Amino acid sequence: MSDGILLRGGRVIDPANQIDDAIGEVAMAAGRFVSPDSLKDPEIINLAGYVIAPGFIDVHVHFRDPGQTEKEDIQSGARAAAAGGFTTVLAMPNTVPAVDNFEMLSALLERTGAVAAVRILQSAALTRGRAGKELTDFQALKRAGAVALTDDGSCIQENGLMLEALLLAKAAGLPVIDHCEDASLSVGGAMNAGPIAGELGVSGQSRASEDVIVARNMILSREAQWPVHCQHLSTSGSVQLLRFAQKSGIALSGEVCPHHLCLTEQACARYGSNAKMNPPLRGEADRQALIQALADNVISVIATDHAPHTVEEKAKPMDEAPFGIIGLETAVPLCLTELVHKGVLSLSGLIAKFTVGPRDLLGLPYGTLRLGAPADVTILDPGAETVIDVGRLQTRGRNCPYDGWRCKGKAVGTIVGGQWAFRAPELG
């Protein structure tokens, strides 16, 4: 009987430790990375031609459990994560009801741990019911297992309450992650405000809705001396603010989603509600600003904002359909194609956006191949020609504009705690 697993012959990339070995090996035993020399009779897996990376982390997913499991549940979401190359995900608290108290969070995490194929971390709501009026008990939520606080899907509008939230989060030692949307500026908007929305007869949402809250968060982060992470950035204005904050020594960070890197508002005409998300797809100048911010490491995290909905919901008119698209199984192929193969990021640079950035944001032990760390691995085939087939995805959601897209590169394996969570047929 083997005493561990030895991954041999692949290109080993671990940005957290500045490792990029053309041919290397990674060993694991008892759920941890170990020295290859410590294994006497390992299971040897030849990965020549593949890339061995730390397990990818997605800090923004919606698994709809509890309350909307017809869209997704913990098991289907975890399968989608594993198949997409992710070994750890952070679930958002905008379930029905919201994850806003000790008892609910404790029960959810206990149930999650019993059925999930990947590591599912849980964020908790900043305010009760995510209503933006009364703060939750941050200390209790941390004791229950919350690793971050957010009202994702909505945003605290009252600045005094947001400052109080930052101060209490600082006392609890919990990261604050914010959905940046001024509701008075976005109200009713189903897509980006502008000529295309007018041509389609769809209500528009101003870029200012996002920019105002990013600016607010910068100021309040400086006041509280506590970081704020801005979710799913979509505008060039947000990028400018983020650059200014970081140059000024303010602890403001941001993430970008593949759909804001690959699509613009033009997609709404072609894909309808499958191109409807919040924040909405913007213009080409916004897309280019986000790409440049990734290249400059002003944006350090790529997150999917995986948001499954039923076919019936997404079949509604643009102004009535819910926001969001699925993303766990399309993110890696899209990012390899659009960022690595087009020369925006090196392969190591892209891997860092899925490992180092999320690891630093949440203070996690994952996202590295360091000896003694949890044995989470993502295996990539960066040159594989692939076609996205939405009908064959593991997620329950089918709300996706990429069906039939040709991509170059994909994830072919995920290992969580030394155990296979997903293994493509080509790995044997």
Side-chain angles (χ1 to χ4, degrees):
M1 184 175 180
S2 64
D3 60 347
I5 297 175
L6 181 63
L7 308 178
R8 174 175 286 172
R11 179 182 173 186
V12 177
I13 301 179
D14 181 6
N17 292 296
Q18 293 82 51
I19 292 172
D20 188 346
D21 292 337
I23 299 177
E25 54 186 16
V26 172
M28 59 198 82
R32 300 273 171 177
F33 291 118
V34 298
S35 169
D37 297 338
S38 69
L39 299 180
K40 294 185 171 131
D41 185 25
E43 175 191 0
I44 298 175
I45 299 170
N46 183 6
L47 292 177
Y50 297 99
V51 172
I52 304 167
F56 284 10
I57 303 164
D58 186 353
V59 299
H60 194 159
V61 304
H62 302 270
F63 281 175
R64 309 303 190 195
D65 194 346
Q68 296 177 311
T69 51
E70 70 279 5
K71 302 183 183 190
E72 193 82 283
D73 61 24
I74 291 167
Q75 289 174 298
S76 64
R79 287 195 303 270
F86 295 96
T87 58
T88 299
V89 299
L90 178 65
M92 295 294 103
N94 57 338
T95 50
V96 182
V99 183
D100 65 0
N101 63 79
F102 178 95
E103 293 76 16
M104 182 179 180
L105 178 55
S106 298
L108 180 59
L109 286 172
E110 182 176 358
R111 183 159 51 88
T112 297
V115 301
V118 300
R119 302 182 193 276
I120 301 180
L121 309 178
Q122 185 64 54
S123 58
L126 279 164
T127 63
R128 297 191 183 279
R130 297 175 42 255
K133 302 298 182 185
E134 180 185 359
L135 298 179
T136 54
D137 186 337
F138 296 176
Q139 297 285 356
L141 289 166
K142 183 175 183 179
R143 290 195 302 273
V147 300
L149 299 165
T150 180
D151 270 358
D152 180 46
S154 57
C155 171
I156 293 176
Q157 301 295 293
E158 205 278 303
N159 295 333
L161 186 64
M162 185 63 175
L163 177 58
E164 182 183 356
L166 291 178
L167 293 170
L168 290 174
K170 181 179 180 179
L174 284 172
V176 172
I177 300 174
D178 198 31
H179 172 115
C180 300
E181 180 182 351
D182 184 310
S184 70
L185 294 171
S186 69
V187 60
M191 64 175 289
N192 188 50
I196 296 175
E199 291 170 11
L200 296 176
V202 175
S203 56
Q205 184 180 134
S206 169
R207 290 174 175 83
S209 173
E210 176 175 305
D211 298 348
V212 163
I213 298 298
V214 173
R216 184 274 304 264
N217 286 345
M218 174 178 65
I219 294 166
L220 296 185
S221 173
R222 181 185 63 189
E223 179 71 15
Q225 292 295 294
W226 191 243
V228 179
H229 179 74
C230 299
Q231 296 177 294
H232 44 44
L233 294 176
S234 71
T235 73
S236 59
S238 291
V239 168
Q240 290 175 332
L241 290 162
L242 194 57
R243 286 183 189 276
F244 175 81
Q246 292 174 1
K247 287 179 180 178
S248 303
I250 300 170
L252 195 71
S253 62
E255 73 192 31
V256 66
C257 302
H259 45 265
H260 288 120
L261 299 170
C262 297
L263 299 168
T264 69
E265 58 192 334
Q266 298 276 358
C268 295
R270 180 174 181 183
Y271 301 112
S273 63
N274 276 338
K276 179 183 178 180
M277 59 278 296
N278 194 18
L281 299 172
R282 306 291 188 179
E284 179 62 16
D286 300 292
R287 189 179 78 88
Q288 291 298 332
L290 294 167
I291 289 172
Q292 189 61 50
L294 275 178
D296 297 341
N297 208 37
V298 171
I299 295 178
S300 56
V301 175
I302 297 175
T304 69
D305 193 8
H306 175 77
H309 294 290
T310 65
V311 173
E312 293 76 17
E313 286 176 309
K314 275 295 193 176
K316 294 177 180 178
M318 189 78 163
D319 277 320
E320 299 175 24
F323 292 107
I325 62 172
I326 56 175
L328 279 167
E329 294 166 86
T330 58
V332 170
L334 290 170
C335 289
L336 284 168
T337 303
E338 295 296 322
L339 300 175
V340 174
H341 292 298
K342 292 186 178 180
V344 176
L345 297 175
S346 66
L347 186 52
S348 179
L350 177 65
I351 291 171
K353 305 298 183 185
F354 286 119
T355 57
V356 177
R359 169 187 166 89
D360 290 348
L361 171 64
L362 299 177
L364 300 176
Y366 321 119
T368 176
L369 301 175
R370 183 179 295 120
L371 295 184
D376 296 356
V377 174
T378 295
I379 302 168
L380 303 174
D381 184 345
E385 300 291 339
T386 183
V387 178
I388 295 173
D389 184 348
V390 173
R392 300 182 66 181
L393 299 180
Q394 295 294 314
T395 175
R396 288 187 178 177
R398 294 294 180 261
N399 48 311
C400 175
Y402 309 119
D403 194 32
W405 278 38
R406 295 186 177 276
C407 297
K408 187 175 183 180
K410 65 177 181 176
V412 294
T414 46
I415 297 172
V416 181
Q419 303 293 319
W420 288 98
F422 170 74
R423 188 170 182 172
E426 51 261 49
L427 292 187

